[in-house]
Amino acid sequence: MTPSPDARPPVLSVRGLSVRFRLSGGRHVAAVTDARFDLAAGECLALVGESGCGKSVLASALLGLLPGNARSTGSAVLDGDTDLLAADERTLARSVRGRRIGLVPQSPAAHLTPVRTVRSQLEETLRELTGVRKPALREAAEAAAARASFPAGHLDRYPHQLSGGLAQRAATALALIGDAPLLLADEPTTGLDRDLVERTVDELRRHTDEGRALLLITHDLAAAERIADRVAVMYAGRIVELADAGRFFEGPGPRHPYARGLLDALPERDFAPIPGMPPELGALPEGCAFAARCARADERCGRLPVFDGTVACHHRLSADDDRRSKERTDA
């Protein structure tokens, strides 16, 4: 693992990032609320949580890819000089996307050009971002594909001829080409079997070990455990825990009951699902959004817990809770 991120200047510094969607009838949905974290060079931060908690919305806000009915506030400063939330589309398109931030998208079909082969898209990206020209272009495209375990025999196929897993690997290959200082991987293992999951995240880890930053957005906790330095847990649009990966996955374990529930739901642990369902983002309670699903909830949970940089909970867990959890798993 890498040294403490506090020892290095952040590649990305997020403060108070919030995203609201305006709906018909004057209603609003709070998709992300007051997200704050730093991400250093050579570090992988895994942002985890159930589907619909706001992880991908946060990623879209960083890249300026939110729809027209969305409004983002706060700041997200890249390399100390560019606030991504304040930058105009020209700046984001010409100097940020692909060059300073590489994106592995959640829906690769939306990012691959349907009328061009994978090879031609790789070659175009290589020309634009690295300056490679013929006759080296063909070999460079094949090398770029190999980095993402994309088979050379499929390079001359069109996106509609690819399986979901192959499309995901093609999108990953495109994202890695520029060796951007920050890589944003939004569910990069979707549609892949376990062997390819491990190969994909190991390549992302290599990207990080070479001194670049990685924000990994995933619901795959096994993938996060394999490569992450730190873990941020998101619930109902808020980051509720931020922890060192070793502490989170091994010991003393998560301190937020929701984060503990995510781990206990894994087959290799208790295999016990979290009861209930997450609240609708358009109808969040005034207090703790997890209270309705939490066995520890009491009257204090009617007040919104404050995130202190590590956890936001009135009933944060202790090492003894983690020990008891492990004893149940071992039994």
Side-chain angles (χ1 to χ4, degrees):
M1 290 295 179
T2 57
S4 168
D6 295 336
R8 298 159 298 184
V11 172
L12 178 67
S13 183
V14 174
R15 295 290 182 272
L17 194 162
S18 298
V19 179
R20 300 288 183 271
F21 288 99
R22 184 179 65 257
L23 305 181
S24 59
R27 295 180 299 126
H28 290 79
V29 170
V32 179
T33 300
D34 197 26
R36 55 188 64 231
F37 59 87
D38 288 334
L39 182 56
E43 180 188 24
C44 171
L45 174 65
L47 183 61
V48 305
E50 293 169 294
S51 296
C53 70
K55 305 187 302 296
S56 294
V57 172
L58 188 153
S60 295
L62 294 177
L63 289 165
L65 297 176
L66 292 169
N69 67 330
R71 179 174 180 266
S72 59
T73 56
S75 64
V77 179
L78 181 65
D79 288 329
D81 61 19
T82 302
D83 186 348
L84 299 172
L85 302 188
D88 57 33
E89 173 59 23
R90 180 185 177 89
T91 299
L92 293 171
R94 294 198 171 189
S95 63
V96 173
R97 299 185 197 123
R99 290 174 170 79
R100 298 176 67 185
I101 302 179
L103 171 65
V104 181
Q106 183 178 23
S107 301
H111 289 256
L112 297 172
T113 305
V115 295
R116 299 181 61 189
T117 65
V118 175
R119 183 189 300 278
S120 69
Q121 294 181 62
L122 288 172
E123 290 181 350
E124 178 186 37
T125 304
L126 283 161
R127 282 194 301 268
E128 288 293 321
L129 299 184
T130 70
V132 175
R133 295 290 186 269
K134 292 180 179 180
L137 202 53
R138 184 178 183 87
E139 183 178 348
E142 292 177 357
R147 287 183 67 181
S149 299
F150 187 91
H154 290 68
L155 280 170
D156 294 312
R157 294 189 177 186
Y158 293 89
H160 74 272
Q161 297 174 308
L162 304 177
S163 66
L166 281 176
Q168 187 69 54
R169 280 181 274 168
T172 301
L174 286 166
L176 291 173
I177 283 176
D179 287 327
L182 171 61
L183 186 63
L184 202 163
D186 189 3
E187 301 288 1
T189 60
T190 299
L192 305 183
D193 61 36
R194 183 48 52 182
D195 178 62
L196 283 174
V197 166
E198 294 180 354
R199 289 165 63 182
T200 298
V201 297
D202 285 350
E203 179 57 41
L204 295 176
R205 181 70 235 186
R206 186 195 65 77
H207 184 87
T208 306
D209 289 340
E210 292 177 351
R212 304 175 189 94
L214 170 63
L215 179 59
L216 172 66
I217 295 173
T218 185
H219 64 272
D220 187 340
L221 290 177
E225 183 176 11
R226 189 175 180 91
I227 68 168
D229 297 295
R230 289 189 300 150
V231 179
V233 181
M234 201 165 190
Y235 185 77
R238 292 181 180 270
I239 293 177
V240 296
E241 182 161 1
L242 184 60
D244 176 81
R247 174 190 175 93
F248 186 88
F249 289 110
E250 297 299 330
R255 302 182 67 190
H256 195 284
Y258 172 67
R260 179 64 54 80
L262 289 178
L263 285 188
D264 286 346
L266 295 175
E268 61 269 26
R269 300 208 181 210
D270 283 0
F271 206 25
I274 301 173
M277 296 291 290
E280 294 290 335
L281 293 178
L284 294 174
E286 291 186 5
C288 174
F290 187 62
R293 307 172 72 187
C294 182
R296 293 170 172 256
D298 60 19
E299 67 280 357
R300 285 178 290 177
C301 303
R303 304 189 309 273
L304 187 68
V306 176
F307 181 66
D308 62 3
T310 58
V311 65
C313 183
H314 297 297
H315 302 283
R316 58 189 63 191
L317 303 175
S318 67
D320 287 339
D321 294 296
D322 186 63
R323 176 181 52 78
R324 287 191 287 269
S325 178
K326 288 183 182 296
E327 287 173 352
R328 290 197 304 272
T329 300
D330 294 340

